[in-house]
Every structure is written in structure tokens, then in C-alpha cells.
């Protein structure tokens, strides 16, 4: 089955700087990669996703890049703000999300004011 | 749009009792719902995939007789933890995927924190 690894497990960034979180996946059939943000005790919220037919997607301060050959994808947050502090999970799925998601282990991001 | 609710949000029960958790998609029909378990400061572990009108598909290591799943309609799935024990205490989260073609995303419920005494 699919295995998703995520690094780093914790990340502290000065406010205004950029944060990068990286994930690798094992199943070359995976073609859908969402990123979720989870605040303490709350539900995961989708912040951005990407399909395997594109290499990059951007939404304001958030971007995701995908390298299918190397089987890794990354989340980039620019101009970080205190409200970006949360746990971020990457995930992978085959069949464009119609199948189950396999989650990474999470990254606790702390923005230092 | 794409709102998923869960009820209850928090439940405390005695060991040996059963607890039912409901997951509802409020503004879309969900042919597929997923049940996850999350331990403190850990990732989401998929327990089972719930398909409307058919039996759930359980992940390896998840006891189907202990975690009963019923997906009776396109907007409701239930998870029943039978004969709960303290080790079943956890945060249970459901997600639902809209059945509309092209919608890949799973939307998560707010979670249910189960504490078994």
C-alpha cells in the first residue's frame, strides 16, 4: 500500500519568512495530493491540492509543487503570519481522490512573532 | 458549501457500553464516507471506508465487529464503538467526498472525542 513520509515534524519560522514542508510517497499510481491544516482540537481543513497532471499550483501565499519522477511534493507558505501556526498534513490518493487518502505524519508549524 | 457535521462532539462513557457517532453531509450527497482515528499529536489513521448501501471496507487491524459502520443514506454514516474500553479513547473524525464527478476533495467533520472510563 501507499506510504507517505513527511518532514520536518516540527518547524519554527519567523513571521514574514517562508515555510516549506516536504512529503514523499511510494505508490507511483497516486495522482491526487491534498494538504490539510489542523488547528488544535479542530477538523482538518483543506488548504490546497494538486493533481498529477500539473507540477505546481498556487493560491495567494500558498503553493504546492509536485515532482512525479522523484515522487515528492512540497507545501510552500510565503509571508507567514501567526495564524498560519497549526499542524499541516500532506496526503496522497490514487484515482484522483476517489480512493482513500494516506496521510503523512504531520508538521507542527509555529510562527514566531 | 461542503459542510460535514458530527454528533456528538464529545462523549464520556463507562467501560463496556456502546457509543454511536453520527457523520452527516449537510449540503451534498456523499456516496463514500471515511472514518479516521487520531491519537494526540499524531496523524489520521484510516479505520474504514463507508459506502452507501453496501458493507464498509475496513483497514487491516481494525476489528469490524467492534467498530460497526452503517451508511444508510447518501448523507449519513454512523460508527458504533461496541463494548468500549479505555484503549478506545480517541478522537474520531469522519470525512465525506461529494459524489459529483471532478470533486476530488474529502471534507472533514469536526471530530468526536471519546473518553472511556
Amino acid at each position: 500500500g501507499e506510504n507517505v513520509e513527511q518532514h520536518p515534524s516540527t518547524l519554527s519560522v519567523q513571521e514574514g519568512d517562508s515555510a516549506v514542508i516536504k512529503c514523499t510517497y511510494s505508490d507511483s499510481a497516486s495522482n491526487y495530493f491534498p494538504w490539510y491544516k489542523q488547528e488544535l482540537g479542530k477538523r482538518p481543513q483543506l488548504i490546497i491540492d494538486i493533481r498529477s497532471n500539473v507540477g505546481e499550483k498556487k493560491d495567494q501565499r500558498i503553493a504546492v509543487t509536485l515532482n512525479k519522477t522523484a515522487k515528492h511534493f512540497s507545501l510552500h507558505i510565503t509571508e507567514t503570519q501567526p495564524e498560519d501556526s497549526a499542524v499541516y498534513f500532506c496526503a496522497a490518493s490514487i484515482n484522483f481522490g476517489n480512493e482513500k487518502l494516506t496521510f503523512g505524519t504531520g508538521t507542527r508549524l509555529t510562527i514566531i512573532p | 458549501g461542503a459542510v460535514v457535521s458530527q454528533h456528538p462532539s464529545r462523549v464520556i462513557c463507562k467501560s463496556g457500553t456502546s457509543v454511536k457517532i453520527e457523520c452527516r453531509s449537510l449540503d451534498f450527497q456523499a456516496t463514500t464516507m471515511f472514518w479516521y482515528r487520531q491519537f494526540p499529536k499524531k496523524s489520521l489513521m484510516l479505520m474504514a471506508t463507508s459506502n452507501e448501501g453496501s458493507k464498509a471496507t475496513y483497514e487491516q487491524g481494525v476489528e469490524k465487529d467492534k467498530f460497526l459502520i452503517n451508511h444508510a443514506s447518501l448523507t449519513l454514516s454512523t460508527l458504533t464503538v461496541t463494548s468500549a474500553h479505555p484503549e478506545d479513547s480517541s478522537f474520531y473524525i469522519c470525512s465525506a467526498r461529494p459524489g459529483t464527478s471532478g470533486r476530488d476533495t474529502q471534507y472533514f467533520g469536526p471530530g468526536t472525542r471519546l473518553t472511556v472510563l
Side-chain angles (χ1 to χ4, degrees):
Chain A
E2 175 68 280
N3 181 49
V4 178
E5 295 190 355
Q6 184 171 346
H7 299 281
S9 57
T10 61
L11 178 62
S12 294
V13 173
Q14 205 73 35
E15 182 179 355
D17 288 349
S18 296
V20 180
I21 302 170
K22 299 181 179 181
C23 288
T24 60
Y25 61 99
S26 61
D27 189 347
S28 57
S30 290
N31 53 18
Y32 175 65
F33 307 94
W35 284 89
Y36 288 88
K37 174 183 180 181
Q38 187 179 30
E39 298 178 17
L40 188 63
K42 297 192 176 180
R43 77 184 80 195
Q45 298 269 20
L46 178 76
I47 56 172
I48 195 165
D49 57 6
I50 191 168
R51 285 187 166 197
S52 60
N53 55 345
V54 297
E56 184 174 358
K57 184 176 179 180
K58 189 174 182 180
D59 182 5
Q60 299 183 350
R61 297 187 296 110
I62 296 172
V64 57
T65 59
L66 171 66
N67 183 326
K68 286 190 297 182
T69 303
K71 290 191 282 189
H72 68 69
F73 56 111
S74 300
L75 177 71
H76 305 253
I77 306 175
T78 60
E79 300 172 20
T80 53
Q81 302 167 3
E83 52 265 35
D84 294 330
S85 294
V87 178
Y88 291 80
F89 292 99
C90 63
S93 174
I94 65 172
N95 199 16
F96 297 115
N98 287 329
E99 306 294 332
K100 63 182 181 181
L101 289 171
T102 300
F103 281 85
T105 48
T107 297
R108 182 171 299 277
L109 175 64
T110 303
I111 306 302
I112 305 167
Chain B
V3 178
V4 177
S5 70
Q6 252 181 271
H7 178 80
S9 58
R10 186 182 296 267
V11 58
I12 301 172
C13 69
K14 292 183 179 180
S15 186
T17 60
S18 294
V19 175
K20 180 184 282 189
I21 303 169
E22 293 186 348
C23 177
R24 292 181 185 272
S25 55
L26 299 184
D27 53 359
F28 64 95
Q29 293 185 331
T31 54
T32 305
M33 290 184 174
F34 302 88
W35 286 96
Y36 296 85
R37 184 173 180 176
Q38 187 176 33
F39 291 103
K41 297 185 179 181
K42 296 294 183 182
S43 188
L44 291 89
M45 301 300 297
L46 180 67
M47 298 175 65
T49 302
S50 170
N51 297 295
E52 187 267 337
S54 64
K55 290 184 178 180
T57 303
Y58 289 81
E59 293 299 299
Q60 191 173 9
V62 178
E63 299 177 60
K64 62 179 181 180
D65 294 330
K66 181 168 185 61
F67 299 99
L68 300 178
I69 291 172
N70 185 4
H71 194 153
S73 76
L74 287 172
T75 59
L76 173 65
S77 176
T78 60
L79 167 68
T80 301
V81 183
T82 62
S83 187
H85 288 93
E87 57 265 30
D88 298 325
S89 298
S90 192
F91 194 52
Y92 292 88
I93 308 179
C94 70
S95 72
R97 189 182 62 80
T100 305
S101 175
R103 297 287 298 277
D104 308 329
T105 306
Q106 290 183 27
Y107 296 92
F108 284 84
T112 296
R113 185 162 301 283
L114 171 63
T115 303
V116 185
L117 303 176

